[in-house]
Amino acid sequence: MSIESVLHENRIFEPSAAFVKSANVSGMAAYNALCAEAAADYEGFWARLARELLVWHKPFSKILNDDNAPFYKWFEDGELNVSVNCLDKHLTTIPDKVAIIFEADDGSAKTVTYKALYHQVCQFANGLKKLNLAVGARVIIYLPMGIEAVVAMQACARLGLTHSVVFGGFSAKSLNERIVDAGAEAVITADGQFRGGRTIPLKIAVDDGIALGGCQSIKKVIVLKKTGQAIAMNHNDIWWHDLTTGVADTCEPVMVNAEHPLFLLYTSGSTGKPKGVQHSSAGYLLHAMNSTRWTFDIHPDDIFWCTADVGWITGHSYVAYGPLAMGATQVVFEGVPTYPDASRFWQMIAKHKVTIFYTAPTAIRALIKAAETTPATHPKNYDLSSLRLLGSVGEPINPEAWMWYFENVGSGQCPIVDTFWQTETGGHVITPLPGATALVPGSCGLPFPGIDIDVVDETGKEVPWGTGGLLVIKKPWPSMIRNIYNDPERYKTSYYPADLGGKIYLAGDGAVRDAKTGNFTIMGRIDDVLNVSGHRLGTMEIESALVSNPLVAEAAVVGKPHDIKGESVVAYVVLKGARPTGEEAKKIVANLRDWVGKEIGPIAKPDEIRFGDNLPKTRSGKIMRRLLRSLAKGEAITADISTLENPAILEQLKEVVK
C-alpha cells in the first residue's frame, strides 16, 4: 500500500537575510551541521544539549538505555527538578522580567514577573504539602486557562507530583474516566470560568464526575475562587485561598530521577478508551526548551504567544514549560478568538506587542471567514508590525490558509513554522527552522535536528521520496512517550507494532516527502481518529457515547472535510425503534447531539446525524467505513460493493436530517 499524494505546491519562500543573520540556527549550513552531528554521534548530540540546557542536581553518566525496548530511558542516573529549571534558575539573572502577561476574557490584563511567579508556585506547593501526597501521586488539574493553571502545574512538578491536566471543556464522564484510570489523589479546579462573555460552571463537573463512582482515591478537591458563583462545597473540598493562607512563599524542591513521570496527558485512541500518555521529567523538558529555542527562535526581548489551552500538549510544552525554562515573556489568554468579535487576536497582538504568534489552523480558518463577512475584523485594520514569526499547530494547514496567514497577519515578512508533532512526541518533530529552511505552503518542512523520521510502507521498508506511506520515527528521542499509564501492552501495540519490528515508532499519520527537497507533507490519520478543530477525537468514543443512549441500537462515526474545523463529525445511527423521519427525526437528532455533549464534551457533538434501518456491512459483519466516508462527502459510490450485505441501505444513509 502506498498512499497517493495529490498535493503539488510550487511556491517557495526563502528566509530573509536579516532573519538568518540573527537566528539561533542561522542558515541551512547550521541546520545541516546539527543533523550531521546527530547522525555521527546520536547519543552524544542529545547529551551535549542536556548538559547545556538543563540544570542538574545530580549529573547523568548514562545517556540512552535501550535494553528493554521500546521502554526507553534517557539520562536515567541523573536527578533534577523541572520547576527549578523553569523558575529558580532565573532568580539570579532575570527576577524582575515579566514571565506572563495574562489577558482575561473581559480584556483586563495583568503581569507576573519570574520572581513573583516563583513565590506563587512555592506558596501553592506548600499548600499542597498539607495533603500528604507521596512523590509520584497523580493530581488532576481541571482549571480555566490562566496564571493559576501554570502555578498548579509547576507546583506539582516542584513536589514530584505527577499532574494530569484535563481540558475545561471536557464533561464529567471524561473527567471520571481520567480520575479512575490515573488513580488520582487530588483534583485542582475552580468554581467556574469566563469564556466568550459567559460564566461557565466548572466545579459541578468535578462533583458529577466523582459521583459517577470509582473515585475513592480522591483525598481532596482544591477549588480556586475564580468567578464567585455559588457552588456546593463538600466535606473533602477546600478553597485554594484557604489552603495557602499563612504558608511560606519559598519551598524546597523535591529532586527526582530524570525518568520520573512529570505528567500524564490523556489523548483519544481509535479503540475508545482514552490513553494516559506518560512523559518523563528531563527528556521532556529538554525538548520543550530546545524546540522553543530553535523552532521559535526565541530571543530575550521576544513576546511569545501560544494560544493553546494547557489542557492540550501544546499548552504544556509551549506555555507551562518551554517558554518559562527559556526565560521568555509570554501572553496567556483565557478567552476565545471571536469574543467580543473576531478581531480579538489582532487587538491583543497590537496591545501586547507580540513578536511570535502560535495558533491552530482551525482558528485561522474561522478568522479568514470572519474577515470576509465582517471586514472590520480583518487583520489589516490592526498594527501587527511587532510580529516577526508565526506558527501553526494541531493539524496540517492547507496552502491557501497558509498564504492568507502569511500575507494578512505577517504582511509577507514573517516566516511561518508549520509544526508537526503529537501528544506522544512531547515537542516538534518536523518543522521549518525559520532562519534556515525555505518555506513551502502546506508542508511542515524538514525533521527537527536529532529526530530520525521517515516514510515507510507497511512492512517498514523506506518508500522513495514522492511516494506516500506511513510516518515513523526510527530512533528513540528524549521527549518521547514513555508508556501508556497502566497499559504497557497497549503502548507497544499502538506505537511499536510488531510488523514494523517492534522498535520503530509509528506516528499514525500518512505522509509524503517531496521528490526534490525531501520536505514532508502530512496526509492525515491512518486510523479512526478525527481531527476536529485541532482536537483529536476517537470515532470509537463517539460511537460508544451514541450507543449508550437508550434509543440507539448501533452507530458508526466518520469525519468529513470542513472549511473551518478541518473535519466535522458525521454519525450514522440505527435506532432500536423504526427509522424516524420529519419532525421526529429532528427531535432525536437534537437529543443525541446533547447526549454526546454530556458524555464526552461539546467538541464531540456530531455535526450531522443520518438514520438507517441498519449500517452497510460486509458479509463478515464489518462496518464499511470507507463507504460511509464517501456518503458523508456526497461522493458517488464507485467502489466495489459486492461484499455489501445490504446495498439498498445506501439510499437511506444519503439523507441528511435538515
Side-chain angles (χ1 to χ4, degrees):
M1 174 206 82
S2 74
I3 306 166
E4 190 188 343
S5 169
V6 290
L7 179 75
H8 296 289
E9 178 57 63
N10 298 317
R11 291 170 290 196
I12 295 177
F13 299 88
E14 296 286 348
S16 72
F19 202 106
V20 172
K21 193 172 175 208
S22 65
N24 291 331
V25 177
S26 176
M28 273 310 280
Y31 169 81
N32 288 330
L34 289 167
C35 294
E37 182 193 351
D41 180 6
Y42 189 70
E43 291 186 30
F45 171 81
W46 288 112
R48 172 178 77 77
L49 291 170
R51 291 187 179 107
E52 178 191 344
L53 288 173
L54 298 176
V55 176
W56 293 90
H57 174 68
K58 178 188 168 215
F60 62 90
S61 62
K62 297 174 181 167
I63 306 170
L64 171 64
N65 177 344
D66 56 4
D67 293 347
N68 187 25
F71 299 94
Y72 298 102
K73 293 177 178 178
W74 284 89
F75 322 120
E76 63 181 306
D77 58 344
E79 287 178 11
L80 81 176
N81 179 279
V82 167
S83 170
V84 167
N85 275 271
C86 294
L87 300 169
D88 306 43
K89 75 173 184 194
H90 301 310
L91 296 178
T92 53
T93 51
I94 48 166
D96 300 322
K97 182 175 181 176
V98 172
I100 295 173
I101 301 165
F102 171 69
E103 177 152 322
D105 191 58
D106 66 7
S108 61
K110 65 177 177 183
T111 60
V112 59
T113 64
Y114 271 96
K115 187 177 179 185
L117 186 62
Y118 161 81
H119 287 305
Q120 282 185 37
V121 168
C122 287
Q123 198 168 31
F124 189 60
N126 283 329
L128 284 176
K129 278 185 181 175
K130 296 180 189 174
L131 308 188
N132 294 320
L133 303 173
V135 171
R138 275 79 54 217
V139 176
I140 296 275
I141 297 175
Y142 185 65
L143 283 169
M145 192 57 183
I147 294 168
E148 293 85 1
V150 175
V151 167
M153 293 166 80
Q154 287 281 346
C156 286
R158 195 163 192 86
L159 300 178
L161 302 172
T162 300
H163 63 67
S164 185
V165 184
V166 179
F167 174 57
F170 276 142
S171 67
K173 185 165 183 286
S174 298
L175 203 49
N176 171 274
E177 287 170 351
R178 288 154 173 77
I179 290 170
V180 171
D181 191 75
E185 293 183 35
V187 178
I188 304 169
T189 189
D191 49 1
Q193 59 181 335
F194 299 115
R195 202 168 165 82
R198 294 177 304 147
T199 303
I200 302 167
L202 209 55
K203 163 75 160 50
I204 191 162
V206 177
D207 295 343
D208 291 352
I210 290 173
L212 288 170
C215 301
Q216 296 80 354
S217 57
I218 295 288
K219 294 177 180 172
K220 272 278 184 266
V221 176
I222 299 160
V223 187
L224 174 71
K225 197 171 203 146
K226 175 83 181 168
T227 61
Q229 66 203 84
I231 57 163
M233 289 294 278
N234 306 315
H235 68 282
N236 64 348
D237 298 349
I238 183 167
W239 288 107
W240 177 307
H241 56 263
D242 288 341
L243 187 72
T244 54
T245 298
V247 302
D249 65 358
T250 58
C251 171
E252 205 53 40
V254 174
M255 294 301 161
V256 295
N257 181 273
E259 280 295 308
H260 178 77
L262 175 63
F263 63 88
L264 306 177
L265 189 55
Y266 283 83
T267 183
S268 295
S270 53
T271 57
K273 185 178 173 239
K275 300 181 282 198
V277 172
Q278 181 180 315
H279 274 290
S280 71
S281 293
Y284 169 78
L285 184 66
L286 171 63
H287 196 49
M289 288 180 74
N290 198 39
S291 50
T292 299
R293 174 170 72 158
W294 287 352
T295 308
F296 296 124
D297 190 49
I298 206 91
H299 285 68
D301 54 352
D302 275 314
I303 309 288
F304 177 76
W305 182 18
C306 165
T307 66
D309 190 281
V310 289
W312 309 109
I313 187 67
T314 307
H316 283 56
S317 301
Y318 303 113
V319 178
Y321 290 114
L324 292 177
M326 289 304 294
T329 295
Q330 67 174 322
V331 173
V332 169
F333 176 46
E334 90 176 323
V336 294
T338 51
Y339 175 79
D341 66 31
S343 65
R344 183 66 180 268
F345 276 2
W346 323 134
Q347 288 182 35
M348 286 180 60
I349 290 168
K351 176 173 159 187
H352 302 300
K353 303 276 186 284
V354 172
T355 58
I356 303 169
F357 180 62
Y358 192 40
T359 196
T362 186
I364 295 164
R365 288 191 297 264
L367 297 172
I368 291 172
K369 195 163 185 175
E372 284 167 5
T373 53
T374 316
T377 67
H378 196 287
K380 68 174 185 231
N381 298 317
Y382 297 86
D383 178 7
L384 307 183
S385 58
S386 59
L387 287 171
R388 68 181 195 88
L389 180 61
L390 302 172
S392 172
V393 60
E395 62 191 294
I397 181 168
N398 57 318
E400 292 323 305
W402 192 103
M403 286 303 303
W404 184 90
Y405 191 31
F406 182 69
E407 288 167 353
N408 294 289
V409 181
S411 300
Q413 304 294 310
C414 302
I416 297 175
V417 287
D418 174 4
T419 59
F420 172 80
W421 59 298
Q422 303 169 311
T423 304
E424 296 86 348
T425 69
H428 307 147
V429 289
I430 311 175
T431 177
L433 297 190
T437 38
L439 305 173
V440 178
S443 164
C444 49
L446 294 168
F448 191 91
I451 305 289
D452 188 1
I453 197 160
D454 215 339
V455 181
V456 300
D457 65 18
E458 61 272 48
T459 64
K461 192 165 144 280
E462 265 181 57
V463 298
W465 287 9
T467 306
L470 309 174
L471 192 66
V472 297
I473 304 181
K474 293 177 164 179
K475 290 193 187 116
W477 67 103
S479 66
M480 64 190 288
I481 177 177
R482 292 305 196 263
N483 208 341
I484 291 175
Y485 190 70
N486 273 341
D487 204 343
E489 222 22 67
R490 191 176 177 195
Y491 165 75
K492 286 198 287 194
T493 54
S494 296
Y495 303 114
Y496 289 92
D499 45 6
L500 293 181
K503 290 188 179 181
I504 291 179
Y505 173 87
L506 179 69
D509 288 274
V512 63
R513 299 194 73 166
D514 183 85
K516 291 195 191 73
T517 62
N519 279 334
F520 283 83
T521 297
I522 304 299
M523 295 156 62
R525 300 292 298 170
I526 55 173
D527 57 16
D528 291 318
V529 176
L530 306 181
N531 198 326
V532 179
S533 299
H535 305 320
R536 270 172 62 174
L537 296 172
T539 53
M540 280 289 300
E541 284 179 278
I542 305 173
E543 288 168 12
S544 304
L546 284 164
V547 173
S548 69
N549 182 291
L551 297 175
V552 176
E554 198 174 14
V557 168
V558 298
K560 79 168 185 182
H562 188 280
D563 287 350
I564 306 293
K565 297 195 285 190
E567 275 187 296
S568 64
V569 179
V570 180
Y572 296 91
V573 172
V574 179
L575 297 181
K576 289 173 183 168
R579 176 173 179 259
T581 53
E583 287 307 310
E584 189 200 359
K586 284 185 191 169
K587 263 190 207 147
I588 294 173
V589 164
N591 167 348
L592 293 178
R593 279 175 47 82
D594 287 347
W595 178 272
V596 172
K598 286 195 181 77
E599 289 284 301
I600 302 175
I603 189 84
K605 284 183 180 181
D607 297 84
E608 257 176 51
I609 295 180
R610 306 181 185 190
F611 296 103
D613 291 328
N614 45 40
L615 294 173
K617 290 177 182 171
T618 61
R619 286 177 171 70
S620 63
K622 201 169 165 29
I623 295 172
M624 297 180 77
R625 291 169 191 279
R626 180 174 47 89
L627 271 185
L628 293 178
R629 284 192 195 99
S630 293
L631 286 173
K633 292 177 193 167
E635 295 170 348
I637 303 297
T638 53
D640 173 20
I641 53 172
S642 58
T643 58
L644 186 59
E645 190 191 3
N646 45 359
I649 204 75
L650 298 179
E651 287 309 310
Q652 288 186 353
L653 297 175
K654 284 179 184 172
E655 286 180 33
V656 182
V657 177
K658 288 278 192 268

